[in-house]
mmCIF file of all heavy atoms in Angstrom:
data_model
loop_
_atom_site.group_PDB
_atom_site.id
_atom_site.type_symbol
_atom_site.label_atom_id
_atom_site.label_comp_id
_atom_site.label_asym_id
_atom_site.label_seq_id
_atom_site.Cartn_x
_atom_site.Cartn_y
_atom_site.Cartn_z
ATOM 1 N N PHE A 1 -5.173 14.472 -2.693
ATOM 2 C CA PHE A 1 -5.566 14.098 -1.312
ATOM 3 C C PHE A 1 -5.305 15.276 -0.519
ATOM 4 O O PHE A 1 -4.217 15.968 -0.591
ATOM 5 C CB PHE A 1 -4.738 12.953 -0.782
ATOM 6 C CG PHE A 1 -4.935 11.650 -1.532
ATOM 7 C CD1 PHE A 1 -4.056 11.138 -2.402
ATOM 8 C CD2 PHE A 1 -6.127 10.868 -1.316
ATOM 9 C CE1 PHE A 1 -4.239 9.939 -3.023
ATOM 10 C CE2 PHE A 1 -6.335 9.722 -1.945
ATOM 11 C CZ PHE A 1 -5.468 9.230 -2.787
ATOM 12 N N ASP A 2 -6.273 15.742 0.354
ATOM 13 C CA ASP A 2 -6.067 16.942 1.146
ATOM 14 C C ASP A 2 -6.403 16.644 2.648
ATOM 15 O O ASP A 2 -7.554 16.299 2.921
ATOM 16 C CB ASP A 2 -7.059 17.999 0.591
ATOM 17 C CG ASP A 2 -6.914 19.357 1.384
ATOM 18 O OD1 ASP A 2 -5.832 19.609 1.918
ATOM 19 O OD2 ASP A 2 -7.952 20.043 1.473
ATOM 20 N N PRO A 3 -5.408 16.674 3.488
ATOM 21 C CA PRO A 3 -4.078 17.020 3.199
ATOM 22 C C PRO A 3 -3.268 15.873 2.521
ATOM 23 O O PRO A 3 -3.702 14.688 2.665
ATOM 24 C CB PRO A 3 -3.421 17.273 4.596
ATOM 25 C CG PRO A 3 -4.262 16.492 5.557
ATOM 26 C CD PRO A 3 -5.685 16.442 4.949
ATOM 27 N N GLU A 4 -2.243 16.226 1.841
ATOM 28 C CA GLU A 4 -1.425 15.250 1.176
ATOM 29 C C GLU A 4 -0.656 14.350 2.119
ATOM 30 O O GLU A 4 -0.405 13.168 1.891
ATOM 31 C CB GLU A 4 -0.496 15.937 0.173
ATOM 32 C CG GLU A 4 0.280 14.976 -0.664
ATOM 33 C CD GLU A 4 1.191 15.691 -1.675
ATOM 34 O OE1 GLU A 4 0.719 16.649 -2.306
ATOM 35 O OE2 GLU A 4 2.334 15.269 -1.805
ATOM 36 N N ARG A 5 -0.233 14.972 3.248
ATOM 37 C CA ARG A 5 0.571 14.208 4.276
ATOM 38 C C ARG A 5 -0.122 14.412 5.656
ATOM 39 O O ARG A 5 -0.501 15.510 5.973
ATOM 40 C CB ARG A 5 1.945 14.734 4.379
ATOM 41 C CG ARG A 5 2.781 14.488 3.118
ATOM 42 C CD ARG A 5 4.176 15.139 3.292
ATOM 43 N NE ARG A 5 5.056 14.732 2.168
ATOM 44 C CZ ARG A 5 5.097 15.270 0.969
ATOM 45 N NH1 ARG A 5 4.129 16.180 0.695
ATOM 46 N NH2 ARG A 5 5.845 14.842 0.031
ATOM 47 N N VAL A 6 -0.219 13.268 6.399
ATOM 48 C CA VAL A 6 -0.772 13.338 7.738
ATOM 49 C C VAL A 6 0.123 12.556 8.630
ATOM 50 O O VAL A 6 0.873 11.623 8.193
ATOM 51 C CB VAL A 6 -2.209 12.800 7.843
ATOM 52 C CG1 VAL A 6 -3.183 13.643 6.995
ATOM 53 C CG2 VAL A 6 -2.307 11.318 7.392
ATOM 54 N N THR A 7 0.106 12.903 9.910
ATOM 55 C CA THR A 7 0.929 12.198 10.934
ATOM 56 C C THR A 7 -0.067 11.771 12.018
ATOM 57 O O THR A 7 -0.848 12.590 12.482
ATOM 58 C CB THR A 7 2.005 13.106 11.571
ATOM 59 O OG1 THR A 7 2.882 13.515 10.460
ATOM 60 C CG2 THR A 7 2.787 12.402 12.597
ATOM 61 N N VAL A 8 -0.004 10.481 12.411
ATOM 62 C CA VAL A 8 -0.836 9.945 13.387
ATOM 63 C C VAL A 8 -0.106 9.041 14.335
ATOM 64 O O VAL A 8 1.102 8.706 14.044
ATOM 65 C CB VAL A 8 -1.978 9.153 12.759
ATOM 66 C CG1 VAL A 8 -2.874 9.988 11.910
ATOM 67 C CG2 VAL A 8 -1.481 7.922 12.025
ATOM 68 N N ASP A 9 -0.662 8.722 15.466
ATOM 69 C CA ASP A 9 0.000 7.771 16.386
ATOM 70 C C ASP A 9 -0.326 6.355 15.989
ATOM 71 O O ASP A 9 -1.391 6.106 15.391
ATOM 72 C CB ASP A 9 -0.551 8.036 17.798
ATOM 73 C CG ASP A 9 -0.043 9.349 18.377
ATOM 74 O OD1 ASP A 9 1.095 9.780 18.035
ATOM 75 O OD2 ASP A 9 -0.836 9.992 19.136
ATOM 76 N N ALA A 10 0.477 5.440 16.336
ATOM 77 C CA ALA A 10 0.216 3.958 16.106
ATOM 78 C C ALA A 10 -1.158 3.655 16.695
ATOM 79 O O ALA A 10 -1.494 4.060 17.800
ATOM 80 C CB ALA A 10 1.289 3.143 16.631
ATOM 81 N N GLY A 11 -1.956 2.895 15.930
ATOM 82 C CA GLY A 11 -3.235 2.506 16.392
ATOM 83 C C GLY A 11 -4.346 3.440 15.885
ATOM 84 O O GLY A 11 -5.553 3.195 16.116
ATOM 85 N N ALA A 12 -4.002 4.526 15.258
ATOM 86 C CA ALA A 12 -4.971 5.500 14.812
ATOM 87 C C ALA A 12 -5.518 5.119 13.448
ATOM 88 O O ALA A 12 -4.924 4.417 12.713
ATOM 89 C CB ALA A 12 -4.320 6.903 14.687
ATOM 90 N N THR A 13 -6.791 5.604 13.175
ATOM 91 C CA THR A 13 -7.454 5.335 11.977
ATOM 92 C C THR A 13 -7.408 6.608 11.065
ATOM 93 O O THR A 13 -7.644 7.726 11.587
ATOM 94 C CB THR A 13 -8.846 4.901 12.225
ATOM 95 O OG1 THR A 13 -8.901 3.670 13.001
ATOM 96 C CG2 THR A 13 -9.706 4.695 10.949
ATOM 97 N N VAL A 14 -7.192 6.335 9.831
ATOM 98 C CA VAL A 14 -7.269 7.467 8.810
ATOM 99 C C VAL A 14 -8.447 7.108 7.977
ATOM 100 O O VAL A 14 -8.637 5.992 7.556
ATOM 101 C CB VAL A 14 -5.973 7.657 7.972
ATOM 102 C CG1 VAL A 14 -6.186 8.647 6.856
ATOM 103 C CG2 VAL A 14 -4.768 7.969 8.888
ATOM 104 N N GLU A 15 -9.285 8.068 7.710
ATOM 105 C CA GLU A 15 -10.494 7.981 6.862
ATOM 106 C C GLU A 15 -10.390 8.897 5.670
ATOM 107 O O GLU A 15 -10.218 10.076 5.816
ATOM 108 C CB GLU A 15 -11.736 8.236 7.661
ATOM 109 C CG GLU A 15 -13.048 8.036 6.878
ATOM 110 C CD GLU A 15 -14.220 8.291 7.728
ATOM 111 O OE1 GLU A 15 -14.483 9.405 8.135
ATOM 112 O OE2 GLU A 15 -14.924 7.337 7.994
ATOM 113 N N TRP A 16 -10.500 8.276 4.479
ATOM 114 C CA TRP A 16 -10.502 8.992 3.267
ATOM 115 C C TRP A 16 -11.954 9.247 2.836
ATOM 116 O O TRP A 16 -12.715 8.270 2.758
ATOM 117 C CB TRP A 16 -9.729 8.302 2.140
ATOM 118 C CG TRP A 16 -8.225 8.242 2.393
ATOM 119 C CD1 TRP A 16 -7.317 9.138 1.885
ATOM 120 C CD2 TRP A 16 -7.498 7.301 3.178
ATOM 121 N NE1 TRP A 16 -6.070 8.769 2.311
ATOM 122 C CE2 TRP A 16 -6.135 7.672 3.078
ATOM 123 C CE3 TRP A 16 -7.831 6.230 3.917
ATOM 124 C CZ2 TRP A 16 -5.143 6.942 3.743
ATOM 125 C CZ3 TRP A 16 -6.920 5.477 4.576
ATOM 126 C CH2 TRP A 16 -5.514 5.860 4.488
ATOM 127 N N VAL A 17 -12.320 10.474 2.560
ATOM 128 C CA VAL A 17 -13.663 10.808 2.168
ATOM 129 C C VAL A 17 -13.616 11.356 0.761
ATOM 130 O O VAL A 17 -12.964 12.329 0.455
ATOM 131 C CB VAL A 17 -14.279 11.883 3.140
ATOM 132 C CG1 VAL A 17 -15.745 12.223 2.715
ATOM 133 C CG2 VAL A 17 -14.301 11.354 4.536
ATOM 134 N N ASN A 18 -14.421 10.749 -0.169
ATOM 135 C CA ASN A 18 -14.463 11.259 -1.503
ATOM 136 C C ASN A 18 -15.404 12.337 -1.642
ATOM 137 O O ASN A 18 -16.619 12.148 -1.704
ATOM 138 C CB ASN A 18 -14.746 10.077 -2.505
ATOM 139 C CG ASN A 18 -14.593 10.461 -3.944
ATOM 140 O OD1 ASN A 18 -14.442 11.671 -4.239
ATOM 141 N ND2 ASN A 18 -14.731 9.608 -4.884
ATOM 142 N N GLU A 19 -14.859 13.607 -1.750
ATOM 143 C CA GLU A 19 -15.704 14.801 -1.963
ATOM 144 C C GLU A 19 -15.741 15.242 -3.371
ATOM 145 O O GLU A 19 -16.107 16.304 -3.716
ATOM 146 C CB GLU A 19 -15.207 15.904 -1.067
ATOM 147 C CG GLU A 19 -15.351 15.590 0.423
ATOM 148 C CD GLU A 19 -14.895 16.692 1.301
ATOM 149 O OE1 GLU A 19 -14.325 17.657 0.836
ATOM 150 O OE2 GLU A 19 -15.061 16.543 2.584
ATOM 151 N N SER A 20 -15.299 14.314 -4.238
ATOM 152 C CA SER A 20 -15.172 14.576 -5.661
ATOM 153 C C SER A 20 -16.396 14.014 -6.397
ATOM 154 O O SER A 20 -17.116 13.230 -5.826
ATOM 155 C CB SER A 20 -13.850 13.965 -6.212
ATOM 156 O OG SER A 20 -13.829 13.986 -7.622
ATOM 157 N N ASP A 21 -16.520 14.391 -7.677
ATOM 158 C CA ASP A 21 -17.623 13.818 -8.454
ATOM 159 C C ASP A 21 -17.169 12.562 -9.233
ATOM 160 O O ASP A 21 -17.952 11.919 -9.887
ATOM 161 C CB ASP A 21 -18.049 14.873 -9.539
ATOM 162 C CG ASP A 21 -18.789 16.049 -8.951
ATOM 163 O OD1 ASP A 21 -19.398 15.811 -7.849
ATOM 164 O OD2 ASP A 21 -18.718 17.136 -9.487
ATOM 165 N N VAL A 22 -15.915 12.149 -9.051
ATOM 166 C CA VAL A 22 -15.358 10.962 -9.766
ATOM 167 C C VAL A 22 -14.872 9.984 -8.748
ATOM 168 O O VAL A 22 -14.541 10.356 -7.569
ATOM 169 C CB VAL A 22 -14.233 11.275 -10.729
ATOM 170 C CG1 VAL A 22 -14.774 12.195 -11.850
ATOM 171 C CG2 VAL A 22 -13.043 11.912 -10.089
ATOM 172 N N GLY A 23 -14.718 8.747 -9.074
ATOM 173 C CA GLY A 23 -14.250 7.698 -8.215
ATOM 174 C C GLY A 23 -12.718 7.744 -8.021
ATOM 175 O O GLY A 23 -11.997 8.205 -8.995
ATOM 176 N N HIS A 24 -12.213 7.449 -6.862
ATOM 177 C CA HIS A 24 -10.819 7.420 -6.606
ATOM 178 C C HIS A 24 -10.500 6.125 -5.825
ATOM 179 O O HIS A 24 -11.353 5.500 -5.185
ATOM 180 C CB HIS A 24 -10.393 8.635 -5.653
ATOM 181 C CG HIS A 24 -10.635 9.941 -6.263
ATOM 182 N ND1 HIS A 24 -9.830 10.403 -7.337
ATOM 183 C CD2 HIS A 24 -11.539 10.919 -6.000
ATOM 184 C CE1 HIS A 24 -10.228 11.635 -7.669
ATOM 185 N NE2 HIS A 24 -11.281 12.007 -6.874
ATOM 186 N N THR A 25 -9.232 5.699 -5.808
ATOM 187 C CA THR A 25 -8.821 4.625 -4.974
ATOM 188 C C THR A 25 -7.807 5.137 -3.952
ATOM 189 O O THR A 25 -7.252 6.220 -4.095
ATOM 190 C CB THR A 25 -8.102 3.513 -5.780
ATOM 191 O OG1 THR A 25 -6.813 3.959 -6.236
ATOM 192 C CG2 THR A 25 -8.945 3.016 -6.932
ATOM 193 N N VAL A 26 -7.597 4.363 -2.942
ATOM 194 C CA VAL A 26 -6.544 4.569 -1.959
ATOM 195 C C VAL A 26 -5.786 3.290 -1.944
ATOM 196 O O VAL A 26 -6.288 2.165 -1.571
ATOM 197 C CB VAL A 26 -7.110 4.817 -0.492
ATOM 198 C CG1 VAL A 26 -6.013 4.916 0.485
ATOM 199 C CG2 VAL A 26 -8.112 6.013 -0.492
ATOM 200 N N THR A 27 -4.590 3.316 -2.510
ATOM 201 C CA THR A 27 -3.744 2.151 -2.738
ATOM 202 C C THR A 27 -2.367 2.349 -2.209
ATOM 203 O O THR A 27 -1.678 3.315 -2.601
ATOM 204 C CB THR A 27 -3.684 1.891 -4.251
ATOM 205 O OG1 THR A 27 -5.029 1.831 -4.803
ATOM 206 C CG2 THR A 27 -3.023 0.495 -4.453
ATOM 207 N N ALA A 28 -1.949 1.487 -1.300
ATOM 208 C CA ALA A 28 -0.563 1.586 -0.727
ATOM 209 C C ALA A 28 0.388 1.269 -1.800
ATOM 210 O O ALA A 28 0.205 0.379 -2.653
ATOM 211 C CB ALA A 28 -0.433 0.612 0.476
ATOM 212 N N SER A 29 1.529 1.950 -1.774
ATOM 213 C CA SER A 29 2.697 1.588 -2.578
ATOM 214 C C SER A 29 3.421 0.466 -1.882
ATOM 215 O O SER A 29 4.103 0.793 -0.824
ATOM 216 C CB SER A 29 3.649 2.785 -2.838
ATOM 217 O OG SER A 29 2.930 3.813 -3.475
ATOM 218 N N ALA A 30 3.378 -0.713 -2.302
ATOM 219 C CA ALA A 30 3.832 -1.943 -1.524
ATOM 220 C C ALA A 30 5.344 -1.779 -1.207
ATOM 221 O O ALA A 30 5.766 -2.210 -0.135
ATOM 222 C CB ALA A 30 3.633 -3.196 -2.339
ATOM 223 N N ASP A 31 6.139 -1.105 -2.057
ATOM 224 C CA ASP A 31 7.542 -0.976 -1.789
ATOM 225 C C ASP A 31 7.820 0.344 -0.917
ATOM 226 O O ASP A 31 8.986 0.667 -0.736
ATOM 227 C CB ASP A 31 8.385 -0.946 -3.074
ATOM 228 C CG ASP A 31 7.979 0.114 -4.029
ATOM 229 O OD1 ASP A 31 6.959 0.825 -3.823
ATOM 230 O OD2 ASP A 31 8.737 0.314 -4.989
ATOM 231 N N ALA A 32 6.746 1.049 -0.560
ATOM 232 C CA ALA A 32 6.977 2.279 0.239
ATOM 233 C C ALA A 32 6.119 2.277 1.491
ATOM 234 O O ALA A 32 5.578 3.352 1.838
ATOM 235 C CB ALA A 32 6.658 3.512 -0.644
ATOM 236 N N ILE A 33 6.014 1.112 2.154
ATOM 237 C CA ILE A 33 5.418 1.044 3.488
ATOM 238 C C ILE A 33 6.326 0.218 4.345
ATOM 239 O O ILE A 33 7.204 -0.527 3.824
ATOM 240 C CB ILE A 33 3.986 0.384 3.419
ATOM 241 C CG1 ILE A 33 4.031 -1.114 2.935
ATOM 242 C CG2 ILE A 33 3.004 1.219 2.534
ATOM 243 C CD1 ILE A 33 2.693 -1.839 3.070
ATOM 244 N N PRO A 34 6.277 0.322 5.612
ATOM 245 C CA PRO A 34 7.191 -0.429 6.486
ATOM 246 C C PRO A 34 7.091 -1.949 6.146
ATOM 247 O O PRO A 34 6.049 -2.466 5.906
ATOM 248 C CB PRO A 34 6.711 -0.141 7.911
ATOM 249 C CG PRO A 34 6.000 1.163 7.794
ATOM 250 C CD PRO A 34 5.404 1.191 6.434
#
């Protein structure tokens, strides 16, 4: 993921764009979110 870390304000949207030739997922680590 590029960048690997981002900082945003509450209410902001993050968009992941797959620029790769293979499929990827975006999956929260349930034990590592508020």
Side-chain angles (χ1 to χ4, degrees):
F1 293 107
D2 181 28
E4 185 177 316
R5 293 177 172 79
V6 296
T7 300
V8 298
D9 292 326
T13 299
V14 175
E15 181 176 67
W16 289 265
V17 179
N18 188 352
E19 295 181 356
S20 172
D21 291 331
V22 299
H24 296 290
T25 71
V26 177
T27 309
S29 297
D31 60 349
I33 63 174

